[in-house]
Amino acid sequence: MMNAETADRRAMLRAKLREHFDGRIVRKDLTKKIKEGANVPVYVLEFLLGQYCSSDDEDVIKQGVANVKRILADNFVRPDEAQKVLSLLRARGSYTIIDKVTVQLNIKKDCYEAEFSNLGLKNIPIGDEYPEKYDRLLCGGIWCIIQLAYESEEAFASADAELRERSRRRQESSPIQIMKLTPIQMPHVDIAELKRGRAAFTQQEWMDVMLRSIGMEPDTLSQREKWLLLLRMVPLVENNFNLCELGPRSTGKSHLYKEISPNSILVSGGQTTVANLFYNMGRKRVGLVGLWDCVAFDEVAGIHFKDKDGVQIMKDYMASGSFARGKEEKAASASMVFVGNINQSVDVLLKTSSIFEPFPPEMGRDTAFLDRLHCYIPGWEIPKFRPEHFTDDHGFITDYLAEVLRELRKEQYGDALDRYFHLGKNLNQRDTIAVRRMVGGLVKLMYPDGEYTREQLEELLVLALEMRRRVKEQLKKLGGMEFYDVNFSYIDNETFEEKFVSVPEQGGGKLIPDGTCDPGTVYTVAQGKSGMVGVFRLESQMLPGSGRFERTGLGSDTRCREATNTAFNYLKANGNRISGSISTMSRDYIIGYQDLQGIGMTANLALPTLIALCSIALNRPTAANLVVLGEISISGAIIKAGDLASHLQVCLDSGAKRVLLPITSAADLSAVPPELIGCFNLIFYQSAEDAVFKALGVE
C-alpha cells in the first residue's frame, strides 16, 4: 500500500504533467488492461486512450475505455478479417478503419498512392495534402484512422469540382477512395515544447516520468536499477551506439525494443543474412540498419549469419557506421543491441570463463568484435519483473516518447563532459568514443534542455565509465596484454583530482583462494587447448597401494597424459634427491585436473604434477596464493612460459600473490609493465627439484 507521502508526491507529479504535457500523457494501467485482450501496437492504443481518457474523473475514464474498446472492435483491421471489412465497405458505401498506411509517389501517373498493411490494399489514390502534411507516410508509414468510400461517383458528389475531377482522372479500376485520413502516431513533435516542460521537473521527477513512460514503476526500483533501465534507452536516442545486455530471464531485456518503440526492430531467433541486415545487392535496397533507428538481436546465443562474411561486415558497421557492398559504401545510423540469457551466476562466469559466454564463439571470443561494444549492462542486477514492477500511474504516450527520442538523435551532447571533466590516460580512442556517446545519450534522456550541474554530470560519467570498463575487463581476460589498460579514471578540470571507476562484480570471488591450500593442491597458469591463457587446478590423493598413478579430468588427450607420465617417471627416477620419504612403489596416487576457465586443458602439466605429487607424499601444502609457471622435460630441463606478461596478468586476475617461475624467464621481465611485476612476490627456480623445494617452502 502507498503511504501518504508517496501518494502526495505522485499527485504533484501528475499535476505537473497535466500542466506542461496535457494531451501527451496516458494512464499506463489502462494500456495494460486493454493490451491483454487486443493485439494492437501499444502506440495505437495509447493514442486512443490519450484522446478519450485524459482525465482524473473515474467515470470519464470508464466511459473513455469503453469507447476505445468499441473503436478497436469496430475499426481495427485484423489481417484475417480484411475481406470482411471490404465487404462491409462495399455494402455501406463508407467505413472507418485503423490501419498502417504507407504512401509512395507513382511517377508515371504523377500522383500519390497508398498501401494498407493489414487490409492488404495497394495503389489506392490519396490526396497530395496528406503526404505533404504528414511526411512520415512516405518514410515507412504510420498508423492512421482512415475514412474510406466505395463507388467514387457518389462518394465524391459533395466534394469540390477540382477534387472530383482529380479523383476521376487517377481512379483507374479501384472503386475505393480515401475520404479522410488522421494520423494516430505523432506526425511531428515539437522538441522545444519538451525542453520548456523539462525545466519544471527535478532530476528524480523526470527520471520517474521516463520510467513510467516505458511502463515501469520507479517506486519499486532502487536508484541503481533506475539508471540501468534508462541505459536501455540510450540506443534509441544515440546514433550508432552498440549495447549489450546479458542476464537472467524475465528481466524485460527485449520488451523495450519490441513493444515500446515503433522505431526499433527485434530480430528474433538470431538467423539473418547480410542482405536482410545491411544491403540487398540484387534489389539495390538498404537493409534493416537503414530503415530503423535501432536493430536489436534477441537470444544472442542463436545469432547466425548464413553468409561467411556476416560477422566481418557487422564489425565494420559497428566501428564506423558504414559498410561496403559491391562497388559502393553505404552509411546508416541504426544502433545495434544484443540481448540474451545467462544460465549461470555471474560469479561462476567470472571465475570460469567470460561474461560474453552466451555469444556464439565467432563473436564471444573475437576481441575485435567485443571491443566495438560501447556498453555492457549488468542484466543480473535488474530484478525479475513481477506485476508490482509495472506502473499504474501516468507517463508519456508511447508514440510521443518515441518521436521525442527520434528527434533527439539529431542533437549532439558528446562534448557535455568537457565542461567539467576530462578522461584519464588509460582510455584509448574506442573507450573515449564509447564513454562520450553514453554520456551524450544519458544527457538527452535526463537533461534534454542541456541544463545540468557538475554533480549530475559526474553521476552520468561514472556510470558510463563503469559500463565501458566491464567490456574492457573481459577483453583483458580474453586478449591479454593488448587490453591491459583497464584502470579507467576521470579528472576534474578545476581541482585536477583524478578519480578511478571500478566494476562492482570484479571485486570478489577470486579463482585462487586466500590462505594455504590442502596438501596436494597446486595452481598453474598456462596456455590451454584453445590458445588462451588460463588457470588450472590440481588436487591430489595418496593411498596405500602398489605404485599406480591415476588421473581424472584429462579425457583422452594424449599430450596431457604424456606430460603427467613425464612427471611421475621423473619422480620415480629422482624422488630420493627430493626426499627419502617419498615412495612411488608402496603408494597409489590420484590427481584430478580442472580447467577452471573452460579454455581447454593445457599440456604443460609435468612440473605442476611433480609438485602436486611431492606435496601430497610429504603432506606439505604449497605456499599461500602460489601459482606455478613453466614446464620440465623428461630429463628435468626447465622450459619457460611464453608471453610472460599475459601469464602474469592472468595470475593477478585470479588472485595470485606469489609466482614460481624459471630463472630463464628473468630476461622476459623487461617486456612486462613494472606495476604488474610489483603485484607479486616472484620466486625463481633453477631446476625441477629447486621448484619443488621453493613451492613447498622448504628453503
Side-chain angles (χ1 to χ4, degrees):
M1 291 292 289
M2 254 192 300
N3 59 37
E5 187 184 343
T6 304
D8 290 347
R9 181 164 48 80
R10 287 193 181 186
M12 193 168 74
L13 188 54
R14 279 197 297 275
K16 281 189 183 180
L17 280 170
R18 291 213 176 282
E19 183 183 348
H20 298 281
F21 296 102
D22 195 33
R24 306 273 191 269
I25 56 171
V26 69
R27 234 177 73 185
K28 295 291 175 174
D29 62 322
L30 303 178
T31 308
K32 197 164 47 178
K33 285 173 186 171
I34 301 179
K35 178 68 180 165
E36 287 165 0
N39 191 18
V40 297
V42 170
Y43 36 91
V44 172
L45 193 53
E46 291 195 351
F47 175 87
L48 295 170
L49 289 169
Q51 296 284 309
Y52 292 96
C53 305
S54 185
S55 173
D56 286 331
D57 189 324
E58 284 298 326
D59 292 334
V60 173
I61 290 172
K62 191 175 178 182
Q63 184 59 46
V65 168
N67 287 338
V68 170
K69 286 181 175 177
R70 181 179 50 74
I71 289 167
L72 288 173
D74 294 346
N75 304 115
F76 181 78
V77 180
R78 288 174 44 180
D80 58 335
E81 293 183 349
Q83 290 302 313
K84 177 185 169 184
V85 170
L86 289 173
S87 176
L88 285 169
L89 171 61
R90 183 173 180 268
R92 296 180 185 179
S94 66
Y95 198 76
T96 301
I97 64 166
I98 297 172
D99 202 350
K100 189 176 182 180
V101 181
T102 310
V103 174
Q104 289 184 325
L105 176 62
N106 189 325
I107 296 174
K108 289 182 180 178
K109 298 180 186 174
D110 184 29
C111 69
Y112 290 103
E113 292 178 340
E115 180 180 343
F116 295 81
S117 177
N118 288 358
L119 198 57
L121 291 177
K122 290 184 178 180
N123 307 326
I124 304 298
I126 185 170
D128 296 359
E129 64 273 17
Y130 293 117
E132 288 168 5
K133 193 174 177 182
Y134 312 122
D135 55 359
R136 283 190 63 195
L137 286 165
L138 300 163
C139 309
I142 54 176
W143 284 83
C144 306
I145 297 176
I146 313 105
Q147 189 181 340
L148 297 176
Y150 200 89
E151 296 180 353
S152 59
E153 289 297 328
E154 290 181 27
F156 282 83
S158 60
D160 61 72
E162 185 186 348
L163 183 61
R164 207 162 47 238
E165 181 60 32
R166 195 166 64 198
S167 303
R168 283 199 195 95
R169 222 173 38 242
R170 298 174 181 175
Q171 183 186 340
E172 288 192 5
S173 58
S174 175
I176 296 172
Q177 298 290 334
I178 296 169
M179 297 289 292
K180 187 181 177 184
L181 180 144
T182 308
I184 285 178
Q185 288 174 249
M186 298 284 171
H188 51 79
V189 66
D190 184 1
I191 204 72
E193 175 195 51
L194 178 91
K195 291 179 179 180
R196 286 193 303 272
R198 167 65 182 93
F201 297 79
T202 65
Q203 182 213 38
Q204 205 56 53
E205 286 174 342
W206 188 254
M207 183 183 272
D208 289 358
V209 169
M210 294 300 282
L211 289 171
R212 287 191 180 117
S213 299
I214 61 171
M216 308 314 299
E217 178 46 64
D219 288 347
T220 62
L221 302 167
S222 68
Q223 191 68 6
R224 170 79 170 172
E225 289 162 355
K226 291 180 187 181
W227 279 118
L228 294 178
L229 289 178
L230 277 175
L231 272 167
R232 288 178 175 174
M233 298 169 69
V234 173
L236 299 172
V237 291
E238 202 61 27
N239 294 320
N240 301 112
F241 184 78
N242 309 317
L243 178 143
C244 168
E245 181 182 348
L246 304 176
R249 291 164 178 80
S250 304
T251 56
K253 294 184 290 293
S254 59
H255 174 73
L256 176 69
Y257 311 108
K258 187 173 184 179
E259 291 288 340
I260 303 300
S261 175
N263 303 320
S264 68
I265 187 168
L266 188 72
V267 180
S268 303
Q271 285 269 358
T272 188
T273 62
V274 171
N276 179 47
L277 194 58
F278 295 106
Y279 190 74
N280 190 319
M281 292 179 67
R283 297 183 178 180
K284 304 287 184 192
R285 193 176 290 174
V286 177
L288 298 178
V289 294
L291 301 174
W292 300 88
D293 290 349
C294 175
V295 179
F297 292 88
D298 199 8
E299 301 297 341
V300 293
I303 295 177
H304 175 66
F305 280 96
K306 293 179 182 176
D307 322 72
K308 290 181 180 176
D309 58 348
V311 175
Q312 199 56 48
I313 293 172
M314 183 180 272
K315 284 196 292 191
D316 181 21
Y317 175 75
M318 287 167 70
S320 63
S322 62
F323 52 92
R325 292 289 284 159
K327 297 177 182 177
E328 296 180 79
E329 186 172 17
K330 299 284 181 184
S333 62
S335 296
M336 305 287 266
V337 174
F338 303 89
V339 297
N341 298 319
I342 286 178
N343 297 317
Q344 299 160 289
S345 75
V346 68
D347 290 339
V348 171
L349 280 179
L350 284 168
K351 286 182 183 180
T352 60
S353 57
S354 101
I355 51 176
F356 288 112
E357 184 67 23
F359 276 91
E362 63 268 24
M363 292 177 166
R365 299 267 173 94
D366 184 348
T367 53
F369 171 81
L370 299 176
D371 198 19
R372 287 159 166 79
L373 292 171
H374 298 129
C375 170
Y376 188 128
I377 297 176
W380 52 88
E381 291 189 36
I382 295 172
K384 287 181 177 277
F385 289 151
R386 298 183 300 276
E388 63 263 28
H389 286 112
F390 297 97
T391 190
D392 292 340
D393 216 324
H394 289 68
F396 290 131
I397 292 172
T398 301
D399 197 60
Y400 176 72
L401 178 70
E403 285 311 295
V404 164
L405 299 181
R406 169 168 266 192
E407 279 298 307
L408 287 171
R409 291 174 78 90
K410 300 172 184 175
E411 302 192 6
Q412 294 301 322
Y413 287 109
D415 59 347
L417 64 91
D418 296 335
R419 191 187 303 182
Y420 301 117
F421 308 99
H422 61 274
L423 299 171
K425 63 178 184 344
N426 275 357
L427 282 86
N428 63 26
Q429 183 62 16
R430 279 210 173 124
D431 301 329
T432 303
I433 290 170
V435 170
R436 285 187 178 280
R437 285 189 183 170
M438 239 178 301
V439 170
L442 289 167
V443 167
K444 290 178 189 179
L445 290 168
M446 287 299 299
Y447 313 105
D449 53 352
E451 297 295 324
Y452 46 82
T453 64
R454 175 190 295 271
E455 290 72 27
Q456 287 170 339
L457 188 73
E458 188 173 12
E459 191 175 17
L460 305 185
L461 180 56
V462 168
L463 193 66
L465 284 165
E466 181 207 317
M467 298 300 143
R468 173 61 187 175
R469 179 168 175 174
R470 185 169 287 104
V471 175
K472 205 69 179 289
E473 286 281 0
Q474 297 307 304
L475 284 171
K476 184 181 73 173
K477 185 181 283 190
L478 296 167
M481 292 309 295
E482 184 186 350
F483 303 101
Y484 174 70
D485 295 330
V486 296
N487 292 314
F488 286 4
S489 63
Y490 63 97
I491 300 156
D492 192 302
N493 287 344
E494 285 185 7
T495 63
F496 297 104
E497 181 188 1
E498 186 171 15
K499 296 180 183 177
F500 289 86
V501 177
S502 60
V503 180
E505 67 270 10
Q506 289 294 126
K510 300 291 188 184
L511 286 173
I512 300 169
D514 285 332
T516 307
C517 298
D518 295 332
T521 301
V522 174
Y523 289 90
T524 183
V525 168
Q527 192 175 51
K529 200 171 183 179
S530 64
M532 293 166 59
V533 177
V535 186
F536 304 88
R537 180 167 65 201
L538 287 70
E539 290 181 310
S540 318
Q541 286 292 328
M542 182 177 67
L543 304 165
S546 56
R548 287 190 304 167
F549 179 36
E550 292 182 19
R551 292 138 297 182
T552 61
L554 297 180
S556 58
D557 195 309
T558 53
R559 289 179 64 231
C560 298
R561 288 187 169 274
E562 284 170 7
T564 58
N565 286 334
T566 296
F568 194 62
N569 292 332
Y570 186 87
L571 185 64
K572 283 196 286 189
N574 302 283
N576 287 334
R577 290 163 56 183
I578 298 169
S579 173
S581 60
I582 296 176
S583 172
T584 55
M585 301 303 292
S586 60
R587 297 282 188 271
D588 289 345
Y589 296 90
I590 306 166
I591 298 185
Y593 297 85
Q594 288 178 274
D595 172 10
L596 294 181
Q597 294 179 300
I599 60 171
M601 185 54 69
T602 181
N604 299 330
L605 291 172
L607 182 62
T609 300
L610 177 65
I611 294 171
L613 288 167
C614 294
S615 173
I616 194 71
L618 298 170
N619 197 29
R620 281 187 77 105
T622 59
N625 302 95
L626 179 78
V627 164
V628 177
L629 296 188
E631 182 63 319
I632 57 168
S633 66
I634 187 71
S635 64
I638 60 175
I639 305 163
K640 67 179 183 180
D643 192 4
L644 183 59
S646 293
H647 282 66
L648 288 178
Q649 185 62 56
V650 172
C651 291
L652 179 65
D653 295 340
S654 307
K657 292 173 184 173
R658 294 180 174 88
V659 178
L660 186 72
L661 70 166
I663 192 68
T664 48
S665 292
D668 299 336
L669 287 173
S670 60
V672 182
E675 56 265 36
L676 183 56
I677 297 172
C679 295
F680 305 106
N681 177 9
L682 299 180
I683 306 167
F684 293 98
Y685 61 88
Q686 299 184 4
S687 65
E689 293 85 356
D690 190 29
V692 173
F693 293 145
K694 287 176 175 173
L696 302 182
V698 175
E699 291 186 3

